[in-house]
Amino acid sequence: MLVIFGLSKIVFFGLMTAAWSLGEVAFAGVAMSAVDLAMGVIFLLGAKRFAA
């Protein structure tokens, strides 16, 4: 479950970054989605910890 949440958060950050590069979203939206990137990394690290 943590892996799914982690990957979805990281993909969301990537989509926001792509949308920003196309001019669809303001940079503030990308900056706020960086929180999702951090949460995704934390979820993946947690999944790795529980798997071991």
Side-chain angles (χ1 to χ4, degrees):
M1 195 66 142
L2 288 175
V3 172
I4 294 169
F5 284 143
L7 290 177
S8 69
K9 296 282 187 188
I10 292 170
V11 168
F12 177 71
F13 175 74
L15 290 174
M16 286 293 284
T17 304
W20 172 69
S21 70
L22 294 173
E24 298 290 326
V25 210
F27 180 74
V30 176
M32 286 189 279
S33 72
V35 173
D36 285 319
L37 176 66
M39 287 173 55
V41 170
I42 290 169
F43 286 157
L44 289 179
L45 289 174
K48 181 180 175 184
R49 181 176 157 232
F50 286 119

